[in-house]
């Protein structure tokens, strides 16, 4: 089977409507973009037309929709247009918007699907990024949503939702969330809300544009919309569509079967993050093991703090694992009876993973050594304790002469434990 190629739109197409939260007119133009650029929003109403990549790293809010932000710029309710683009394999697109929110249209994904199908898509000369689920991946949150992803040929999503409202109740559905099947079975499903919540939302300046024209609205008697529902289980279909839109923020096509229990935008985002990590983490399979690491790093016990390298893109990105056990020498004194990995050693482990990425960038690495010069924006988000596995992901931000900048994050169970920006110099030994 030949590798799938990236795709973009064949031409530009414009949609006009209102923002569901602002209630103001909104105009969105979907247009072609170069291979490798992904899907990007551009705020054409602001000075300098700032852009925000549609990527999980830029998600700033997940209440009542997914909001992207970069510096001061915001774009709200991105999930419906992104679902349509992702479902139709439009990997690269420029999304020009004249305000802080996309137009809600009829509250479904269909107007975006129709617009894309009207202009058509074209193949580009680069392989598409695909995240293939290799083994079971789990995401659970105490607050409710939980997800399991397992291997599958295409993207299938099964979901359960549970609302106390008698018109909804407990619903289950399982769908092929891609291509024509998405367009027919999921795209027409509209967003929904409860009349009882409307006043409180409006008081907070939200849902100002929401109406029976762009949402299914429920009151105590049931569905208020005069024409009723488009599917008897329209609610679950919309939630599945939202998952497609939120997973689009991985920037990759997903191949797997997602089983979601009470999905939410916040939960979808945790799933997106975990799947993105999973792709680099390579199912935990080593691509470089401890003995090979020792050939490339001068560190030895007790200061060698990398066990495996599981993901690697030359000159770009590296993923390494540190398994933390109760036998680590530092736990004896940090602290007796209350073992916590010292924060500076977490950063040291991160730096060692980064060192491996840098060593591969230079000629004659045996005669060189990496000195770290500065750390910025170091944050420890949660303690690391015996039994934890830290997955470090480092990205090479800049490599100029012999000075390089790296951005690193260490996660335990998909949750950020520490992050830092590191600057290093490569010196002769
Ligand atoms: Zn939605």
């Amino acid at each position: 089977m030949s590798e799938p190629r990236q795709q973009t739109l064949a031409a530009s197409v414009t949609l006009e409507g209102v923002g569901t939260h602002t209630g103001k007119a909104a105009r969105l133009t979907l247009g072609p973009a170069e291979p490798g650029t992904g899907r990007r929003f551009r705020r054409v109403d602001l000075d300098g037309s700032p852009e925000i990549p549609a990527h999980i790293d830029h998600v700033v809010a997940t209440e009542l929709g997914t909001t992207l932000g970069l510096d001061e710029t915001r774009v709200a309710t991105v999930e419906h247009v992104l679902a349509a683009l992702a479902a139709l394999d439009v990997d690269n697109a420029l999304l020009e918007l004249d305000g802080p929110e996309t137009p809600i249209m009829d509250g479904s994904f269909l107007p975006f699907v129709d617009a894309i199908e009207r202009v058509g898509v074209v193949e580009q000369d680069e392989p598409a990024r695909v995240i293939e689920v290799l083994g079971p991946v789990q995401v659970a949150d105490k607050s409710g949503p939980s997800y399991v992803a397992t291997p599958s040929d295409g993207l299938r999503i099964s979901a359960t939702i549970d609302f106390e409202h008698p018109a909804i109740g407990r619903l289950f559905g399982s769908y092929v969330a891609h291509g024509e099947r998405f367009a027919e079975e999921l795209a027409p499903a509209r967003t929904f809300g409860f009349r009882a919540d409307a006043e409180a939302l409006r008081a907070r300046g939200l849902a100002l544009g929401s109406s029976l024209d762009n949402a299914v609205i429920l009151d105590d008697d049931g569905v208020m919309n005069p024409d009723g529902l488009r599917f008897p289980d329209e609610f679950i279909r919309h939630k599945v569509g939202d998952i497609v839109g939120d997973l689009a923020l991985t920037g990759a096509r997903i191949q797997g079967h997602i089983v979601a229990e009470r999905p939410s935008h916040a939960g979808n985002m945790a799933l997106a993050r975990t799947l993105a990590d999973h792709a680099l983490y390579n199912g935990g399979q080593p691509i470089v093991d401890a003995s090979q690491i020792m050939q490339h790093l001068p560190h030895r016990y007790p200061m060698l703090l990398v066990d495996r390298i599981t993901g690697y893109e030359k000159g770009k990105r590296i993923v390494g694992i540190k398994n933390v056990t109760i036998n680590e020498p530092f736990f004896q004194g940090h602290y007796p009876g209350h073992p916590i990995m010292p924060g500076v050693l977490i950063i040291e482990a991160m730096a060692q993973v980064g060192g491996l990425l840098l060593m591969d960038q230079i000629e004659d690495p045996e005669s060189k050594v990496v000195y770290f010069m500065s750390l910025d924006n170091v944050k420890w988000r949660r303690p690391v304790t015996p039994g934890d596995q830290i997955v470090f992901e480092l990205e090479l931000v800049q490599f100029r002469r012999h000075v390089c900048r790296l951005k690193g994050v260490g996660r335990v169970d998909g949750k950020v434990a520490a992050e830092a920006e590191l600057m290093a110099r490569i010196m002769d030994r």
Side-chain angles (χ1 to χ4, degrees):
M1 204 174 77
S2 68
E3 248 187 353
R5 302 260 126 199
Q6 292 182 24
Q7 298 193 126
T8 191
L9 297 164
S12 293
V13 58
T14 298
L15 296 106
E16 290 184 61
V18 294
T20 182
H21 291 306
T22 60
K24 299 210 172 101
R27 190 182 152 93
L28 175 67
T29 300
L30 317 181
E34 293 296 308
T37 55
R39 298 176 278 255
R40 304 171 74 86
F41 285 92
R42 177 186 281 169
R43 282 284 301 271
V44 295
D45 57 317
L46 299 179
D47 270 352
S49 300
E51 291 188 4
I52 311 179
H55 192 270
I56 16 178
D57 288 346
H58 302 297
V59 172
V60 292
T62 51
E63 197 201 4
L64 305 168
T66 301
T67 303
L68 299 173
L70 184 58
D71 301 322
E72 299 305 302
T73 309
R74 294 286 179 276
V75 176
T77 322
V78 298
E79 61 274 20
H80 298 169
V81 61
L82 291 179
L85 290 164
L88 300 178
D89 290 335
V90 182
D91 306 285
N92 304 303
L94 181 63
L95 311 169
E96 293 182 302
L97 189 60
D98 68 348
E101 192 179 13
T102 64
I104 189 69
M105 310 311 291
D106 67 353
S108 80
F109 312 88
L110 194 57
F112 303 104
V113 167
D114 285 344
I116 295 163
E117 289 187 335
R118 226 164 27 240
V119 292
V121 298
V122 288
E123 258 193 9
Q124 296 174 294
D125 200 21
E126 291 274 335
R129 265 202 72 203
V130 178
I131 293 178
E132 192 184 346
V133 178
L134 299 169
V137 175
Q138 273 192 60
V139 178
D141 191 280
K142 282 187 222 68
S143 67
S146 72
Y147 304 80
V148 179
T150 54
S152 170
D153 284 347
L155 176 60
R156 169 175 283 278
I157 300 178
S158 306
T160 307
I161 57 171
D162 201 349
F163 283 83
E164 271 180 38
H165 197 287
I168 308 180
R170 191 171 170 87
L171 287 173
F172 171 81
S174 184
Y175 304 92
V176 173
H178 180 252
E180 246 346 273
R181 297 282 297 274
F182 174 90
E184 282 168 19
E185 296 169 27
L186 299 172
R190 292 161 294 173
T191 188
F192 58 94
F194 303 94
R195 190 184 180 182
D197 298 338
E199 209 164 304
L201 289 172
R202 287 189 180 150
R204 292 172 53 206
L206 295 166
L208 297 174
S210 176
S211 75
L212 293 174
D213 293 331
N214 56 36
V216 175
I217 299 178
L218 297 132
D219 67 6
D220 289 344
D221 299 325
V223 172
M224 293 174 68
N225 304 56
D227 294 333
L229 295 175
R230 292 180 178 177
F231 303 98
D233 57 355
E234 186 167 355
F235 310 104
I236 182 86
R237 290 173 193 250
H238 186 81
K239 290 288 184 192
V240 169
D242 278 344
I243 296 175
V244 177
D246 285 338
L247 290 183
L249 295 166
T250 57
R253 303 182 189 178
I254 310 282
Q255 258 181 42
H257 179 190
I258 313 282
V259 181
E261 170 77 25
R262 286 194 282 161
S264 67
H265 287 299
N268 296 349
M269 227 41 72
L271 173 67
R273 184 78 257 176
T274 304
L275 289 174
D277 288 349
H278 175 79
L280 285 168
Y281 177 74
N282 194 24
Q285 291 305 306
I287 58 175
V288 176
D289 64 17
S291 62
Q292 289 168 289
I293 289 170
M294 282 197 265
Q295 287 172 18
H296 296 282
L297 283 181
H299 309 71
R300 291 295 176 268
Y301 176 85
M303 282 309 290
L304 180 62
L305 296 169
V306 191
D307 295 324
R308 264 181 192 181
I309 297 302
T310 57
Y312 187 74
E313 281 177 74
K314 189 175 164 60
K316 271 177 135 175
R317 207 189 266 265
I318 189 164
V319 181
I321 293 177
K322 165 67 183 160
N323 288 304
V324 180
T325 80
I326 189 65
N327 292 315
E328 307 285 350
F330 48 77
F331 282 138
Q332 282 185 37
H334 197 277
Y335 300 98
H338 184 58
I340 289 183
M341 185 169 178
V344 291
L345 289 184
I346 300 174
I347 302 299
E348 169 64 26
M350 181 188 289
Q352 291 183 13
V353 176
L356 284 163
L357 179 62
L358 298 181
M359 283 316 228
D360 207 48
Q361 281 296 97
I362 50 177
E363 281 171 39
D364 199 12
E366 286 74 26
S367 68
K368 300 285 197 292
V369 62
V370 175
Y371 283 114
F372 282 90
M373 297 161 64
S374 71
L375 292 172
D376 282 300
N377 296 319
V378 179
K379 291 195 179 74
W380 289 278
R381 303 285 187 192
R382 60 187 66 231
V384 173
T385 55
D388 283 348
Q389 180 179 65
I390 317 176
V391 181
F392 292 103
E393 180 181 357
L394 284 102
E395 208 180 315
L396 186 58
V397 180
Q398 199 178 63
F399 190 98
R400 206 176 277 163
R401 295 190 169 208
H402 285 113
V403 177
C404 12
R405 288 187 4 182
L406 297 156
K407 219 174 146 176
V409 55
R411 296 188 182 85
V412 175
D413 291 332
K415 296 192 177 101
V416 176
E419 54 197 326
E421 289 164 33
L422 308 91
M423 197 187 282
R425 181 185 287 276
I426 293 162
M427 309 277 282
D428 290 324
R429 267 196 201 195

